[in-house]
Amino acid sequence: MKLIQQAPSLSAYLAESEAIDHGHPLVRETAGRLGVGDSDAYTYASAAFAYVRDEIPHSMDTGDPRVTWRASAVLAARTGICYAKSHALAALLRAGGVHAGLCYQRLVGGGGADLVVHGLVAVRLPGWERWVRQDPRGNVGGIDARFSSGEERLACVPRPEFNEMDYPVVYDVPHPAALHALQSSRDGEELARNLPASL
């Protein structure tokens, strides 16, 4: 699938926003610990991905009721759903000068019945001519998502027979439906009810 860049300028994918607050001291400090400036862009991006995937549990996997959405809050609380974890990874990447955007899939939810939108990050490193999606949700239950510069190693591959799909757009800021679900939910239980079924 060819990914479509929503913002015409690549510089939009380095910009700071309300959710991707990479100027925040905690984001900068975390980027420093992960080797920003001390390693090449690929090595840094891979380390940032592994950190968010492995060190920030998916709140629905752990039953954590807290809802985070701003990147700095995700890093501080060390919890979040896929959207929030994607915001954190995008912020860390942008803090390191790596172009990062947000993209989405529609998948059957954990209960097996309802469709929900799942959040990913798209990365475009220096010298890359294309975006490559990464999935920092967390490897549990047989999931084996990995940082990749070639073939995507995502948590899920959509199954058309279940009405699942990939959305091809790479957004420079969170999609309003995803952000609204996070910002309007008081706890994890409410968030589970508010997750969008489509974009």
Side-chain angles (χ1 to χ4, degrees):
M1 176 187 67
K2 181 175 174 55
L3 295 175
I4 302 164
Q5 186 176 304
Q6 182 200 34
S9 172
L10 265 179
S11 64
Y13 297 90
L14 291 176
E16 189 167 17
S17 71
E18 187 180 19
I20 305 173
D21 58 339
H22 60 76
H24 189 281
L26 180 56
V27 178
R28 293 290 181 185
E29 176 194 328
T30 305
R33 282 190 284 113
L34 293 171
V36 69
D38 297 329
S39 55
D40 63 87
Y42 180 91
T43 301
Y44 172 72
S46 180
F49 170 83
Y51 178 79
V52 174
R53 181 194 64 189
D54 299 340
E55 301 299 327
I56 301 173
H58 192 290
S59 58
M60 290 188 181
D61 291 343
T62 62
D64 192 321
R66 296 174 293 170
V67 178
T68 55
W69 58 270
R70 187 175 280 123
S72 58
V74 175
L75 295 175
R78 297 176 68 84
T79 190
I81 67 163
C82 58
Y83 309 149
K85 292 184 67 164
S86 294
H87 300 170
L89 178 55
L92 289 171
L93 293 170
R94 291 182 186 187
V98 175
H99 295 100
L102 302 168
C103 46
Y104 302 89
Q105 296 174 310
R106 184 176 66 205
L107 303 171
V108 171
D114 298 326
L115 290 165
V116 295
V117 174
H118 175 57
L120 307 168
V121 173
V123 178
R124 189 165 173 174
L125 287 171
W128 289 11
E129 296 300 318
R130 63 189 182 97
W131 292 95
V132 180
R133 295 181 303 170
Q134 318 292 334
D135 191 342
R137 78 147 325 275
N139 287 344
V140 295
I143 294 172
D144 188 26
R146 299 183 186 189
F147 188 80
S148 175
S149 61
E151 183 180 347
E152 293 178 336
R153 298 291 303 269
L154 305 178
C156 298
V157 176
R159 302 163 296 176
E161 64 271 25
F162 293 100
N163 205 23
E164 296 179 334
M165 65 174 286
D166 288 310
Y167 291 101
V169 177
V170 179
Y171 297 91
D172 59 319
V173 295
H175 189 281
L179 193 57
H180 175 74
L182 294 170
Q183 292 178 330
S184 65
S185 300
R186 291 167 294 185
D187 56 33
E189 190 174 310
E190 187 174 7
L191 176 59
R193 294 192 301 269
N194 289 343
L195 291 174
S198 64
L199 297 182

